[in-house]
Amino acid sequence: MGKTEEDIQKKLDQLWNHYFKGDDNSKVYYDQGNEAYIMDTGNNDVRSEGMSYGMMISVQTNHKEEFQKLWNYAKNHMWHRNGDEWDGYFSWQIRLSGGADNKPAPDGEMYFMMALLFAANRWNDTQYMDDAQYILDKMWNNWQYKLFNEQTYIVTFQPTQGNKDFSDPSYDLPAYLELFSRWAKKDQDKWQKTVTATRDHLYKSSHSTTGLFTDYNNFDGTPHSGFDSNNPSDTYMFDAIRCAMNFGMDYYLFGADTTREQEMARKILDFFHKDNYSHAHFQWDGRLVNNHQNDPYTLGQKGANAVATYAVLNDPAYEEKIKKNLSLAWDGEPLKGQQRYYDGLVHFLAMLHLTGHFKIWKPMPTVEKKTVEGKYNGETFDKDTTFNAFEGCKLYELTVKSAAKPADTDSSSKIDPSQDSTIAIASVKAMSAAKVWSTANSIFIENAAVGSRYTVTDLNGRVITNARISSATQEIPLANKGAFIVMVGNKAYKVMK
């Protein structure tokens, strides 16, 4: 869309200042001194969904004070601990007029765990990590309730009698489960099973023609009916709009289920394009819902469906639909009034994804020392050189001994110099004169030394392409859109396409 980093930051600041610092007709964040809560302004209550969304937005935008205040409220008023019936879970609802529903809503648990892990890693806070690990443990080891069905490994609608035998596909967050399976200190095998089961369930939940999802469904993906007579649960109504954001996020963060996620994206984008982005609520097969025929396409849908476009960015046939969906999300104005809470926060989360500001905040790496002889990553070194490098998802302080001066080390510490997929963080060749810029179709590197190596990654470190500089102005054709890191010599450049 041609937006600069300045444009993007201005947009995100607008959303933050509106929903977190605005007046009583705009904000959903309410500061209470040492605590703060996110209010569902339509229902005058506090929900685990909104609290965990607020924490995720805060950690991604680097607002630690607001994050801590939200977590203080959640810990003091919502979180069950110390061996009680719901040990590890959160009350899904705190009524501001008094009273609470102590049972959980699993989307809250999912976002709480992920936000705490990101906060622990971003801000190097061991207490956040301890709290996250406590919740992760209790999702499997609470003495009575399990967050996931232990036969299917699919998240339950609620781990209570009568509600644990069906699901809500908008709780399917495979990207989060990937990280839980890697970072949880216990039950990693179980978390890994949920990754596969969740991707399968999300795909089965997408209608074969419309691509729509239903608010609640069975473990085989078919709609689950009879739960709510006022808002039919076997329809695409409220919860279900998040599914497009969930699989879009999984696509661009992990790319582990690309074929099916591309299929889901094409179907749901085609459906809403055909509807001219006019209506909000549908039967699973695309018919309008009785009594909701005039409900307009919402801001939350604009954001969530735009995230789904990640899966078709490289498909020229979808260029028009991609631009339309991105424009709808970008141009959407922050909501005011009573119904600003849900769609406003879903849209805010979507904008973090779309602008490259939703990041996997990883644990601080342990640096290992390694030594190789003469050549590394295709480069020949004529003098001893030390720099940092990634290899096999590990960070090394790497010493390359010159060819004339063999390394004094055993073979167990050597790195295979033929591994050309390694990402060098700091190269030995300084290229202070290099300039990196982009157009709609390419990235350009100017004034870099011919023969030196460059690497293009996404913001999560996933390598998109790497090669050698072959001319004074190196063109790198790239159809992908978004934010990228271009590493040239000992410098890293961020570019937007």
Side-chain angles (χ1 to χ4, degrees):
M1 291 180 64
K3 303 299 181 184
T4 66
E5 188 61 37
E6 183 180 359
D7 294 332
I8 289 170
Q9 191 58 55
K10 184 177 179 180
K11 172 65 72 173
L12 295 178
D13 288 345
Q14 176 196 26
L15 293 172
W16 175 264
N17 290 330
H18 182 90
Y19 291 116
F20 283 73
K21 303 298 179 181
D23 60 28
D24 286 337
N25 198 42
S26 303
K27 68 181 179 183
V28 296
Y29 174 90
Y30 288 82
D31 196 312
Q32 302 294 295
N34 191 46
E35 299 177 343
Y37 58 79
I38 300 291
M39 182 167 69
D40 180 341
T41 52
N43 293 288
N44 197 40
D45 59 20
V46 178
R47 302 186 174 205
S48 59
E49 162 198 81
M51 292 294 291
S52 58
Y53 280 12
M55 288 170 58
M56 180 61 76
I57 291 168
S58 297
V59 69
Q60 293 294 349
T61 56
N62 200 26
H63 287 95
K64 187 176 182 180
E65 180 181 347
E66 288 80 3
F67 183 97
Q68 182 63 54
K69 288 184 177 185
L70 290 169
W71 184 227
N72 287 344
Y73 184 95
K75 289 180 75 170
N76 294 336
H77 304 281
M78 307 178 87
W79 195 20
H80 300 278
R81 284 169 290 174
N82 302 320
D84 74 6
E85 178 185 16
W86 286 107
D87 190 12
Y89 289 89
F90 295 80
S91 299
W92 79 269
Q93 181 191 48
I94 304 294
R95 290 180 287 275
L96 294 176
S97 59
D101 188 327
N102 289 329
K103 297 183 291 296
D107 54 341
E109 274 69 18
M110 294 288 285
Y111 266 85
F112 275 129
M113 290 186 287
M114 194 75 266
L116 285 165
L117 288 169
F118 285 160
N121 295 336
R122 178 167 197 173
W123 295 318
N124 194 26
D125 191 305
T126 57
Q127 186 60 57
Y128 291 151
M129 179 58 71
D130 290 346
D131 290 344
Q133 294 295 338
Y134 188 94
I135 306 166
L136 285 161
D137 175 40
K138 294 303 179 182
M139 297 304 95
W140 294 108
N141 299 308
N142 174 287
W143 65 277
Q144 185 171 357
Y145 300 110
K146 316 300 180 189
L147 189 69
F148 291 82
N149 180 280
E150 292 187 282
Q151 285 70 52
T152 65
Y153 288 93
I154 296 169
V155 67
T156 63
F157 174 74
Q158 188 181 75
T160 55
Q161 193 65 36
N163 295 322
K164 63 182 180 179
D165 297 322
F166 65 97
S167 187
D168 179 328
S170 75
Y171 298 173
D172 286 340
L173 289 154
Y176 290 4
L177 294 171
E178 277 276 10
L179 296 173
F180 297 164
S181 74
R182 303 176 190 195
W183 296 348
K185 294 181 179 179
K186 298 180 181 178
D187 302 303
Q188 289 184 333
D189 57 333
K190 293 180 180 178
W191 287 116
Q192 188 56 54
K193 289 178 181 179
T194 69
V195 176
T196 301
T198 296
R199 288 193 176 120
D200 289 344
H201 183 246
L202 199 54
Y203 177 71
K204 292 175 183 178
S205 302
S206 173
H207 189 272
S208 60
T209 302
T210 66
L212 296 173
F213 301 81
T214 58
D215 279 1
Y216 312 140
N217 72 2
N218 301 309
F219 295 139
D220 64 1
T222 57
H224 183 85
S225 60
F227 185 78
D228 186 339
S229 58
N230 294 319
N231 295 306
S233 57
D234 57 350
T235 57
Y236 173 93
M237 291 287 285
F238 303 107
D239 283 19
I241 71 170
R242 300 177 292 190
C243 294
M245 182 166 66
N246 294 356
F247 72 71
M249 168 171 50
D250 187 46
Y251 183 92
Y252 85 85
L253 289 180
F254 290 100
D257 196 15
T258 57
T259 299
R260 295 195 299 185
E261 287 170 348
Q262 287 168 349
E263 180 184 339
M264 288 189 283
R266 290 188 179 101
K267 287 176 180 176
I268 201 164
L269 293 172
D270 287 347
F271 177 83
F272 281 103
H273 191 75
K274 185 177 179 180
D275 185 62
N276 198 31
Y277 311 98
S278 298
H279 300 97
H281 305 305
F282 297 90
Q283 302 286 347
W284 197 35
D285 62 7
R287 291 173 294 128
L288 290 171
V289 178
N290 290 338
N291 301 321
H292 292 276
Q293 293 94 331
N294 297 320
D295 294 353
Y297 196 61
T298 70
L299 183 64
Q301 289 172 298
K302 292 174 183 177
N305 287 340
V307 179
T309 65
Y310 270 114
V312 293
L313 283 179
N314 295 323
D315 188 341
Y318 278 79
E319 184 173 356
E320 177 188 351
K321 293 171 186 175
I322 291 169
K323 289 180 179 179
K324 178 65 175 179
N325 279 274
L326 293 179
S327 294
L328 287 170
W330 180 269
D331 294 337
E333 288 295 322
L335 296 176
K336 295 184 177 182
Q338 188 176 4
Q339 300 303 325
R340 63 189 183 271
Y341 154 78
Y342 178 70
D343 279 284
L345 291 184
V346 170
H347 177 255
F348 198 160
L349 287 168
M351 292 305 297
L352 292 171
H353 291 297
L354 295 169
T355 59
H357 284 253
F358 188 102
K359 301 177 183 179
I360 295 177
W361 293 98
K362 301 175 183 177
M364 292 290 289
T366 300
V367 181
E368 298 180 22
K369 292 187 177 182
K370 294 231 176 183
T371 304
V372 298
E373 281 187 48
K375 293 180 68 176
Y376 179 73
N377 200 25
E379 296 280 357
T380 300
F381 297 82
D382 56 8
K383 63 180 180 179
D384 294 356
T385 306
T386 299
F387 55 93
N388 292 330
F390 273 124
E391 182 184 307
C393 296
K394 291 184 178 180
L395 179 63
Y396 297 96
E397 181 183 299
L398 184 71
T399 297
V400 184
K401 296 288 187 179
S402 68
K405 198 175 177 183
D408 182 19
T409 185
D410 60 50
S411 60
S412 65
S413 66
K414 293 179 182 178
I415 299 175
D416 181 1
S418 67
Q419 291 185 358
D420 214 28
S421 62
T422 304
I423 310 170
I425 293 180
S427 172
V428 296
K429 294 182 179 178
M431 299 183 189
S432 58
K435 178 182 178 182
V436 180
W437 52 283
S438 65
T439 65
N441 300 312
S442 299
I443 291 173
F444 291 86
I445 303 173
E446 293 182 350
N447 302 326
V450 173
S452 58
R453 183 166 292 279
Y454 67 83
T455 301
V456 180
T457 75
D458 62 20
L459 294 184
N460 293 299
R462 186 168 58 187
V463 175
I464 296 170
T465 182
N466 60 6
R468 293 186 182 278
I469 301 291
S470 60
S471 64
T473 301
Q474 178 73 39
E475 180 178 4
I476 310 167
L478 192 66
N480 306 45
K481 307 295 183 184
F484 303 93
I485 300 297
V486 182
M487 303 178 71
V488 186
N490 65 345
K491 291 185 178 293
Y493 304 82
K494 184 176 181 182
V495 296
M496 297 293 300
K497 287 183 72 274

